[in-house]
Amino acid sequence: MSKHIRIEKSKQLKEKPDWNALGFGRNFTDHMFVMDYTEGKGWHDPRIIPYAPLSLDPATMVLHYGQAIFEGLKAYKAMDGRILLFRPGSNMERINVSNQRMCIPQIDTDFAVEAVKTLVKLEEEWIPKAEGTSLYIRPFIISTDPFLGVRPSLTYKFIIILCPVGAYYPEGLNPVKIYVENKYVRAVKGGVGFSKTPCNYAASLKAQMEANEKGYTQVLWLDGIERKYIEEVGTSNVFFKIGDEVITPALEGTILKGITRDSAIRLLKSWGINVIERRISIDEVFKAHYSGKLAEAFATGTAAVISPIGELNRNGNIITINDFEIGGLSSRLYETITGIQSGQLEDVMNWTVQI
Ligand SMILES: *Cc1c(COP(=O)(O)O)cnc(C)c1O
């Protein structure tokens, strides 16, 4: 693989967005990273070029059969001006886990981190500075053969785009209402649930839409076979504090190995809290609530970091968790992780990478 990233600067820079109304995923920076793969030649021609629409043959495989993967991570501007990435190597390793399942060729993870660093450095002025804001980084790979036969593509594009994003909780951390999904399922063992691939998202939209119509933010997914064991919340991992223990579903091939999940587990353990990765049923959570032992529930993911869960609705049985208040662990995890990410707290875990 050629390691030299060619840079072609945009001749016309865009106007910067309104920093106070960024939202999520709407504004994109001036440049993007692109690298091609061709069978026999490998990954080649890494380049940073002006951000622009892609021109694709209508027969391009990804448009028909969805052979693709993606990632999401963030860059932060610290108060002292440093640019910090949060565990970028873990995202790139996860790309290869996803690639392996989706028959996409492996990438060089160190080089992919270098590509992110080079692009983010070039787009430094696009990193918002206000509390809670960041530059969202979206690497993705698409299959590009113009061919309608069903087989893995022989050509791919690895692309990285960037967008400044606003604070997820402009008014501070907020508990959310979650609908326990009893009709649709997200993944089954042997499927692609552990892979960050667009088809998992396409498959989840219907459930999310129906939950939204009922007034719920997201769904809590149960296992695809017995509809009994808890998997994830929307596109986040989930934790329950029951008595003195914090329980999160084990990684058994159907859920995503979240980097925020892993960070939360490590921090909780470092605080002397008993964290257990195991199967946990929805019955167990409801029973724990009725016996007064369910102290707290929260979801973890890059976008929101921590989402406290204030309510669960299972077939009309509604429980309110922690009086719809933000739990102690939720807020401590949120403050600690965002503090490390933005360089305000000491990075005792060695998670940040400075550009
Ligand atoms: C991305 C994602 C997560 C969260 O992973 P993080 O690395 O913490 O951002 C959880 N579940 C699904 C299905 C995801 O796609």
Side-chain angles (χ1 to χ4, degrees):
M1 187 198 296
S2 154
K3 298 286 179 191
H4 177 70
I5 302 174
R6 176 167 63 82
I7 298 179
E8 180 196 326
K9 285 204 178 160
S10 175
K11 289 193 184 67
Q12 195 151 23
L13 297 186
K14 297 177 193 172
E15 225 174 274
K16 296 291 189 297
D18 177 355
W19 297 115
N20 296 316
L22 287 173
F24 181 87
R26 281 176 220 288
N27 308 290
F28 298 94
T29 68
D30 291 307
H31 300 89
M32 60 185 184
F33 173 87
V34 183
M35 174 164 74
D36 299 308
Y37 180 91
T38 311
E39 181 92 339
K41 193 172 175 189
W43 290 106
H44 60 276
D45 197 14
R47 56 203 184 271
I48 288 172
I49 55 177
Y51 186 99
L54 304 172
S55 170
L56 294 174
D57 189 293
T60 300
M61 288 182 92
V62 69
L63 302 176
H64 301 273
Y65 307 127
Q67 191 198 4
I69 64 90
F70 69 97
E71 268 303 326
L73 65 157
K74 287 170 170 176
Y76 302 81
K77 190 85 174 208
M79 234 99 92
D80 56 14
R82 287 177 301 153
I83 306 171
L84 299 174
L85 298 172
F86 187 70
R87 307 184 69 180
S90 303
N91 292 91
M92 298 313 170
E93 280 162 25
R94 192 166 64 188
I95 283 188
N96 276 342
V97 172
S98 301
N99 281 354
Q100 210 266 339
R101 181 65 181 84
M102 303 309 288
C103 301
I104 296 171
Q106 298 282 292
I107 58 161
D108 175 337
T109 55
D110 291 337
F111 182 66
V113 172
E114 278 312 304
V116 167
K117 286 183 178 176
T118 310
L119 182 62
V120 170
K121 181 73 194 157
L122 182 72
E123 304 287 55
E124 182 167 0
E125 304 214 324
W126 283 89
I127 311 175
K129 297 187 186 76
E131 175 94 30
T133 63
S134 59
L135 186 69
Y136 186 78
I137 303 164
R138 168 55 59 88
F140 62 105
I141 299 177
I142 55 171
S143 51
T144 52
D145 281 7
F147 178 58
L148 291 186
V150 179
R151 58 145 173 80
S153 182
L154 304 175
T155 59
Y156 298 87
K157 274 190 195 302
F158 177 24
I159 302 174
I160 306 171
I161 55 175
L162 307 175
C163 60
V165 298
Y168 201 90
Y169 298 106
E171 281 104 45
L173 213 54
N174 252 328
V176 290
K177 291 166 69 176
I178 301 293
Y179 189 79
V180 181
E181 182 53 54
N182 51 9
K183 185 161 54 163
Y184 305 108
V185 298
R186 195 189 87 89
V188 288
K189 261 188 205 171
V192 296
F194 65 95
S195 181
K196 213 167 171 80
T197 180
C199 63
N200 281 328
Y201 281 64
S204 74
L205 295 175
K206 186 80 178 151
Q208 186 187 327
M209 209 184 68
E210 290 184 13
N212 292 162
E213 281 164 6
K214 294 184 188 101
Y216 288 81
T217 311
Q218 267 300 351
V219 300
L220 186 148
W221 296 105
L222 300 178
D223 76 275
I225 296 176
E226 298 182 68
R227 315 264 166 108
K228 186 171 164 190
Y229 297 102
I230 290 169
E231 301 236 307
E232 297 191 69
V233 164
T235 55
S236 309
N237 297 112
V238 66
F239 290 73
F240 300 91
K241 182 171 188 241
I242 298 178
D244 295 332
E245 294 177 343
V246 175
I247 302 156
T248 191
L251 304 171
E252 295 184 0
T254 52
I255 65 172
L256 202 86
K257 189 179 172 186
I259 293 160
T260 321
R261 173 187 183 275
D262 183 72
S263 306
I265 291 172
R266 286 176 198 234
L267 284 173
L268 290 167
K269 284 187 176 163
S270 78
W271 298 336
I273 291 160
N274 193 10
V275 192
I276 303 168
E277 297 175 62
R278 66 161 166 86
R279 281 192 168 188
I280 175 166
S281 70
I282 188 68
D283 284 333
E284 181 180 346
V285 168
F286 272 65
K287 275 189 195 130
H289 173 76
Y290 294 129
S291 66
K293 289 200 187 115
L294 177 62
E296 215 176 313
F298 57 88
T300 65
T302 295
V305 187
I306 302 288
S307 287
I309 298 172
E311 177 180 317
L312 286 177
N313 178 338
R314 184 192 192 195
N315 299 325
N317 291 327
I318 295 174
I319 61 173
T320 302
I321 302 170
N322 195 30
D323 298 326
F324 217 82
E325 299 282 337
I326 301 155
L329 285 184
S330 302
S331 57
R332 189 172 174 198
L333 282 171
Y334 182 79
E335 295 301 329
T336 308
I337 296 174
T338 56
I340 292 174
Q341 288 172 332
S342 60
Q344 292 176 55
L345 290 182
E346 195 195 338
D347 181 10
V348 285
M349 298 288 191
N350 222 352
W351 280 335
T352 56
V353 172
Q354 191 182 336
I355 297 180

